[in-house]
Amino acid sequence: MTGAEGSAGFAEAAQPGAAEVTATVIVEAPAERVFAALTAWERQSDWIPFTTVRVVEGDGGEGSLIEAVTALGPAALRDEMRVVRVDAPYEVGVVHCGRLLRGPGVLRCTPMDRDRTQVVWHEWFHLPGGAAGRVAWPVLWPGSKFSLTQALKRFARLVEQGRLP
């Protein structure tokens, strides 16, 4: 780990923050296929709007560094994530370790009957900006939850259509 990821900074980033957001979707596909699609990191660009995702270090598995850049016009948000746990085909854990977005996240795949899978995406971000961040979060949260839910719905459609991974 280097730079913003120095060991003390990374340990701090790995602790849950006050900004929590969760989204869930049921995918009409087996967990193994759904998990493979979720962890096809660079294909997340296909279902997360305005976002380009790439593997910066590693093979996408445990220890890898993933970068997601979301750009809308001239504004861009860079999100760096270290993959800290892979329990295929059930769960992958990440720690957002960039300058602005920090905190742990998890993607869970729970097998259901009839080859369906429940996907839960859960993030615990540290709020930037001190008191201003804490005041802004209740206003930002509904949009964050809506965006994450919409992205997961698009993900489910692409998996069900056989277009992912």
Side-chain angles (χ1 to χ4, degrees):
M1 288 177 274
T2 61
E5 276 190 87
S7 59
F10 188 79
E12 181 184 317
Q15 297 303 309
E20 185 175 358
V21 64
T22 303
T24 304
V25 70
I26 303 294
V27 184
E28 300 287 336
E32 293 78 12
R33 195 165 117 219
V34 172
F35 187 85
L38 277 174
T39 56
W41 299 106
E42 294 178 356
R43 295 293 307 274
Q44 287 187 0
S45 303
D46 295 347
W47 52 276
I48 301 175
F50 313 110
T51 303
T52 302
V53 180
R54 67 186 185 105
V55 177
V56 177
E57 289 176 13
D59 60 2
E62 200 164 307
S64 295
L65 182 65
I66 312 298
E67 176 189 68
V69 177
T70 302
L72 189 55
L77 176 63
R78 185 170 178 254
D79 183 9
E80 293 176 292
M81 295 159 277
R82 182 69 66 181
V83 179
V84 295
R85 183 180 63 262
V86 176
D87 180 16
Y90 307 108
E91 184 173 293
V92 61
V94 301
V95 172
H96 298 269
C97 53
R99 293 183 196 273
L100 185 61
L101 293 177
R102 301 177 65 72
V106 65
L107 295 163
R108 287 191 186 98
C109 295
T110 303
M112 300 172 67
D113 62 344
R114 299 187 313 270
D115 277 337
R116 297 179 313 143
T117 303
Q118 179 190 47
V119 176
V120 176
W121 185 339
H122 199 129
E123 306 274 9
W124 297 268
F125 288 112
H126 296 259
L127 293 169
R134 287 189 297 279
V135 169
W137 178 244
V139 174
L140 297 174
W141 178 84
S144 297
K145 178 154 181 84
F146 178 79
S147 297
L148 194 56
T149 300
Q150 291 306 110
L152 277 182
K153 286 179 179 180
R154 183 162 191 214
F155 167 80
R157 282 193 304 275
L158 292 171
V159 170
E160 292 166 1
Q161 294 167 356
R163 295 170 55 195
L164 280 176

